[in-house]
Amino acid sequence: GQQVMQIPQYQHVQEGEDFTTYCNSSTTLSNIQWYKQRPGGHPVFLIQLVKSGEVKKQKRLTFQFGEAKKNSSLHITATQTTDVGTYFCARPFGGGATNKLIFGTGTLLAVQP
Amino acid sequence: EAGVTQFPSHSVIEKGQTVTLRCDPISGHDNLYWYRRVMGKEIKFLLHFVKESKQDESGMPNNRFLAERTGGTYSTLKVQPAELEDSGVYFCASSPFGSGFTEAFFGQGTRLTVV
């Protein structure tokens, strides 16, 4: 269906290690968005990917959209304690330029100093 | 510019009681969304307003939930009567209305606990 699977559910890393979360859909996506939610906080938009094979970077964060537009990944290089939080991918549904989103299950990242 | 504001930030009510959550979107944002995150699970869509009109309420769990956006400004989400499974964090988000993509801005959320 329209569900978006995200793995892993939880990742614990030492500060300085890399981290990757993966998002998979059984259907082709028009675009995919990534959000970060700090503990006790609210989702904050990070990026939107639209094109097949697209790669975007934000400092230590690298976002990729698969060639088939069915999967996406977020990679963080050299994690810092400020990276702690839950990372969600989200796909739009219902058509139109709206933010009706189906969120992935999220990956909780813990960073040990 | 003020962001999306929600209140209360926390609410603890007994099963069977009524609770009303409020969301003030960013000024000028015609799109307003309600989402809910239950027990650390994924964030789920509840409904979408464009101005005062409900565009999609397919995510509303049942008829105990009623959302309004009179005048197309702030929105309320009423739960009556509340059940234990309604506990969770309710997020409101807003975005400008337009033909292209614009990101959604989320409020801090209301943590609802039904006991």
Side-chain angles (χ1 to χ4, degrees), chain A:
Chain A
Q2 294 187 338
Q3 297 304 310
V4 180
M5 302 306 297
Q6 200 172 342
I7 56 170
Q9 287 189 340
Y10 174 77
Q11 181 95 51
H12 180 206
V13 300
Q14 295 283 332
E15 189 172 24
E17 292 182 336
D18 292 355
F19 159 77
T20 305
T21 173
Y22 301 90
C23 195
N24 295 288
S25 170
S26 58
T27 57
T28 302
L29 306 172
S30 59
N31 67 73
I32 194 156
Q33 301 177 26
W34 285 91
Y35 287 79
K36 176 184 178 181
Q37 183 177 4
R38 293 181 184 274
H42 61 283
V44 174
F45 173 82
L46 295 177
I47 208 160
Q48 181 190 228
L49 304 173
V50 179
K51 299 178 182 177
S52 168
E54 188 171 15
V55 178
K56 287 188 176 180
K57 292 191 176 184
Q58 292 179 351
K59 297 183 180 178
R60 294 178 295 104
L61 276 61
T62 301
F63 303 85
Q64 288 190 304
F65 202 8
E67 293 289 341
K69 300 182 73 174
K70 289 185 176 182
N71 56 74
S72 181
S73 65
L74 158 59
H75 179 83
I76 302 178
T77 304
T79 55
Q80 300 175 357
T81 54
T82 53
D83 296 327
V84 165
T86 301
Y87 292 85
F88 293 97
C89 60
R91 61 167 293 175
F93 73 96
T98 73
N99 282 295
K100 294 193 305 184
L101 300 170
I102 294 173
F103 281 81
T105 46
T107 297
L108 175 59
L109 172 63
V111 180
Q112 185 169 352

Side-chain angles (χ1 to χ4, degrees), chain B residues 13-62:
Chain B
I13 61 171
E14 292 183 350
K15 175 182 173 182
Q17 289 186 323
T18 298
V19 64
T20 300
L21 314 181
R22 173 168 169 148
C23 168
D24 285 71
I26 293 173
S27 178
H29 282 193
D30 289 338
N31 285 313
L32 188 149
Y33 311 84
W34 283 97
Y35 287 88
R36 177 173 74 171
R37 190 178 187 197
V38 175
M39 290 290 290
K41 295 185 178 178
E42 68 265 32
I43 301 166
K44 288 197 171 182
F45 168 82
L46 295 178
L47 85 159
H48 170 216
F49 284 99
V50 175
K51 296 185 180 179
E52 67 275 10
S53 299
K54 289 179 188 175
Q55 293 296 299
D56 185 345
E57 52 184 334
S58 61
M60 296 286 261
N62 50 61

